Amino acid sequence: MKTLYREFISATLLILGISICIGFLLANIVYVVFTKDEITKQNVEVAEQIVLNLEEMHKYGDTFQPFLDSIARLGYQIYLTNQANEHYYFGEPFEYSELPEPIKTQVLNGESYMGKEGVWEQFWMMGHFSNDITNTIGLPLQIEHETYALFVKPDSKTLFSDFHMMLAGFIIAIALVSLIGVIIMTKQLIRPISELSEATKAITNEDFTYSLGIHRKDELGQLAENFTLMQQQLKHNDVARKSFISNVSHDFQSPLMNIQGYADLLLSSKLEEKERLQYARIVSDEAKRLSNLTKQLLLITSLDQSGYPVKKSVIRLDQQIKESIRKHQWSVQERNLTISYKLDEASLLSDPELLAIVWDNLITNAIKYNQPDGQIFISCTNDEASIIIRIEDTGIGLSEESAEQVFDRFYRVDTTRKKDGTGLGLSIVKEIVTLLNGTITLESELGKGTTFTIILPKEGNDH
């Protein structure tokens, strides 16, 4: 299996190789365009000066060998031949010393030879360093009425100066250090990714306790932070899911057992009419409780699905809220609560059925968690772009921790009061308000009460 580490190293080596090839190609182009002709010109000038000096020396009877020996010691390789095939070498020997006959004949006939002229040689920079006799400048030379062919080139060893050796060592050192640095950097880069992979496997096995040791301030550090947040959310959802299953199982089991028990009692022939009515009422209440739970589960499942059909029509929010208050009047009186409202006339193009669920849940919540002789106040006001509804109560209030989780699905403030609900009410409210492009917030103080604020945009309003 290919690993990211190997792929990164391979990609780096590939880029390095391509860079070297491109750099070498560019260097050859620079050599051909700017350097080659200049070097050839300098070598021709040196060869012409040698020929001129030899011809001048011959006038005074001096021999050419001492002079050419001295030139060779200055860093040149020299080859001298004549028509009688006499050969003279001066300086370091050529690695390839066989001179093709056509080249020798060309120079002996009075023509100049400018070194390798092939297409490949012209575009191959390393040919400049070739220790080949064909890589020379050839000029004709007249000594004692005899024609010679003089071939000259700089000594290959002198071309590689100390500076060139240091430069080559510098380049090699940079390449090695860069490669080692890339390997180390790649390990540091891959380590957090491998750690994230292990954490992902742990989450797959429902282990949400895997601790990431990633402390970076780059994109990987941000990814690790987001992963940790996701891990915490998944852990919270897992706990909520298990709690919900436990709660719903209890909520279904308890009324079912009551229905079964009282139904068995109703089958008794000795049952008095008063007891029969009492048991029948209990069976009816438990059936309604099951029905309500089922409706909530079906509703929240429907809201989860994308493309939930919102059936819009123009509604008077103030009238709808008054109607919801009237439905709960008996609960208000039973708990000895006081409910008041100030509702401005407000029309809105929205889904009346969904909004009715919102008011029903919030008013029920305000009644259920209010204190004895408590108060509830409901207001509806118009803004330029929105309608603002507030539902305030003087109930038990919420702690800061509970206020942060109260809209979470399946969350219950008081887990001991399971018969009072499933923990879905406020979650459903949040889903509906969001679906209708609104917002809902709450302000609460423990022991003093809670205020829910719903803001619904007026888009599509029909006044």
Side-chain angles (χ1 to χ4, degrees):
M1 182 184 71
K2 287 186 177 181
T3 63
L4 187 59
Y5 176 76
R6 291 181 180 177
E7 288 184 7
F8 194 87
I9 293 296
S10 299
T12 302
L13 292 176
L14 179 62
I15 293 171
L16 184 60
I18 293 174
S19 301
I20 291 173
C21 292
I22 294 175
F24 192 73
L25 177 63
L26 293 175
N28 276 278
I29 293 174
V30 171
Y31 168 73
V32 171
V33 175
F34 300 103
T35 308
K36 185 174 183 296
D37 290 341
E38 186 66 27
I39 292 174
T40 301
K41 182 180 177 182
Q42 292 175 1
N43 291 338
V44 169
E45 290 176 355
V46 171
E48 288 176 345
Q49 192 64 42
I50 292 173
V51 169
L52 180 63
N53 288 335
L54 284 174
E55 290 178 346
E56 287 292 328
M57 290 171 58
H58 171 65
K59 294 178 181 179
Y60 300 101
D62 295 336
T63 58
F64 61 81
Q65 290 186 347
F67 176 71
L68 292 180
D69 278 333
S70 64
I71 295 297
R73 284 193 292 271
L74 292 176
Y76 288 90
Q77 293 172 276
I78 302 173
Y79 170 65
L80 186 66
T81 184
N82 57 18
Q83 293 177 341
N85 280 332
E86 294 177 339
H87 305 287
Y88 303 93
Y89 293 93
F90 302 91
E92 293 293 328
F94 291 96
E95 186 176 354
Y96 302 100
S97 58
E98 293 294 328
L99 185 67
E101 193 64 28
I103 295 176
K104 182 172 71 173
T105 302
Q106 173 186 334
V107 178
L108 289 173
N109 288 337
E111 298 181 19
S112 299
Y113 171 70
M114 294 294 108
K116 296 180 179 182
E117 294 297 335
V119 175
W120 176 250
E121 285 79 6
Q122 290 182 14
F123 287 93
W124 179 243
M125 182 177 61
M126 296 308 294
H128 174 67
F129 303 99
S130 174
N131 189 16
D132 189 346
I133 198 169
T134 59
N135 189 31
T136 56
I137 298 297
L139 295 177
L141 172 65
Q142 294 293 327
I143 299 177
E144 297 179 354
H145 307 291
E146 185 176 359
T147 302
Y148 285 83
L150 177 70
F151 296 88
V152 181
K153 72 177 287 293
D155 190 344
S156 297
K157 291 183 178 180
T158 61
L159 295 176
F160 289 99
S161 63
D162 292 340
F163 174 75
H164 292 140
M165 294 301 295
M166 287 189 294
L167 182 61
F170 179 70
I171 293 173
I172 292 172
I174 287 179
L176 288 175
V177 171
S178 299
L179 184 60
I180 294 171
V182 166
I183 293 173
I184 295 173
M185 182 192 72
T186 303
K187 285 185 177 180
Q188 293 297 318
L189 187 66
I190 299 302
R191 185 188 63 79
I193 297 177
S194 300
E195 193 170 347
L196 283 168
S197 178
E198 292 299 320
T200 305
K201 292 179 182 177
I203 287 179
T204 303
N205 296 324
E206 296 189 359
D207 178 10
F208 304 104
T209 60
Y210 192 98
S211 179
L212 290 174
I214 301 174
H215 306 286
R216 302 168 65 109
K217 298 189 180 297
D218 54 10
E219 287 82 356
L220 283 174
Q222 187 176 4
L223 176 62
E225 289 179 7
N226 293 336
F227 185 90
T228 302
L229 291 175
M230 181 194 71
Q231 186 183 49
Q232 292 172 352
Q233 186 61 43
L234 288 174
K235 182 179 179 180
H236 170 71
N237 290 347
D238 184 62
V239 172
R241 176 179 60 85
K242 292 175 179 177
S243 175
F244 168 72
I245 293 173
S246 174
N247 291 338
V248 170
S249 298
H250 178 274
D251 286 342
F252 272 99
Q253 184 181 19
S254 178
L256 284 172
M257 288 180 64
N258 288 338
I259 291 172
Q260 183 180 358
Y262 286 104
D264 290 340
L265 290 174
L266 287 171
L267 294 175
S268 175
S269 58
K270 299 179 180 181
L271 194 64
E272 295 182 1
E273 181 66 18
K274 182 179 179 180
E275 292 177 332
R276 186 183 66 79
L277 291 174
Q278 181 183 355
Y279 296 162
R281 190 178 299 110
I282 293 173
V283 170
S284 176
D285 290 342
E286 294 300 295
K288 288 177 182 178
R289 180 179 166 192
L290 280 176
S291 176
N292 181 55
L293 174 59
T294 304
K295 286 178 181 178
Q296 284 192 322
L297 290 172
L298 288 174
L299 176 59
I300 201 163
T301 302
S302 299
L303 292 172
D304 278 342
Q305 297 175 359
S306 59
Y308 180 87
V310 178
K311 301 175 183 178
K312 289 188 176 182
S313 62
V314 178
I315 54 174
R316 284 277 302 274
L317 287 183
D318 53 314
Q319 292 180 358
Q320 189 184 50
I321 295 172
K322 287 179 183 178
E323 182 63 27
S324 184
I325 293 171
R326 280 194 292 269
K327 289 180 182 179
H328 293 84
Q329 197 64 46
W330 66 272
S331 297
V332 173
Q333 294 174 356
E334 185 181 31
R335 298 283 305 270
N336 199 27
L337 303 176
T338 302
I339 187 166
S340 57
Y341 54 83
K342 183 179 182 300
L343 306 174
D344 294 344
E345 182 177 326
S347 297
L348 184 70
L349 180 64
S350 190
D351 190 317
E353 184 178 347
L354 291 179
L355 285 176
I357 295 172
V358 171
W359 315 137
D360 182 68
N361 273 283
L362 291 177
I363 294 173
T364 300
N365 204 69
I367 295 170
K368 184 188 302 182
Y369 295 106
N370 216 317
Q371 298 183 23
D373 302 321
Q375 296 179 351
I376 299 173
F377 177 72
I378 302 174
S379 66
C380 176
T381 57
N382 280 288
D383 199 350
E384 289 185 3
S386 59
I387 299 173
I388 304 168
I389 300 95
R390 288 189 175 87
I391 300 177
E392 306 175 33
D393 66 62
T394 57
I396 60 175
L398 297 168
S399 65
E400 185 176 347
E401 181 183 358
S402 296
E404 292 177 355
Q405 303 179 61
V406 75
F407 290 115
D408 291 350
R409 195 171 298 181
F410 320 129
Y411 179 77
R412 283 173 169 171
V413 177
D414 185 0
T415 58
T416 62
R417 300 177 64 183
K418 293 184 178 181
K419 67 177 183 178
D420 290 335
T422 61
L424 293 173
L426 290 179
S427 178
I428 291 173
V429 168
K430 176 77 170 179
E431 293 276 353
I432 292 175
V433 173
T434 303
L435 182 64
L436 299 178
N437 299 320
T439 60
I440 180 169
T441 57
L442 71 85
E443 297 176 6
S444 185
E445 188 175 348
L446 199 61
K448 291 189 177 181
T450 303
T451 300
F452 287 92
T453 303
I454 301 96
I455 301 176
L456 297 171
K458 287 184 177 179
E459 295 178 4
N461 227 8
D462 185 10
H463 295 287

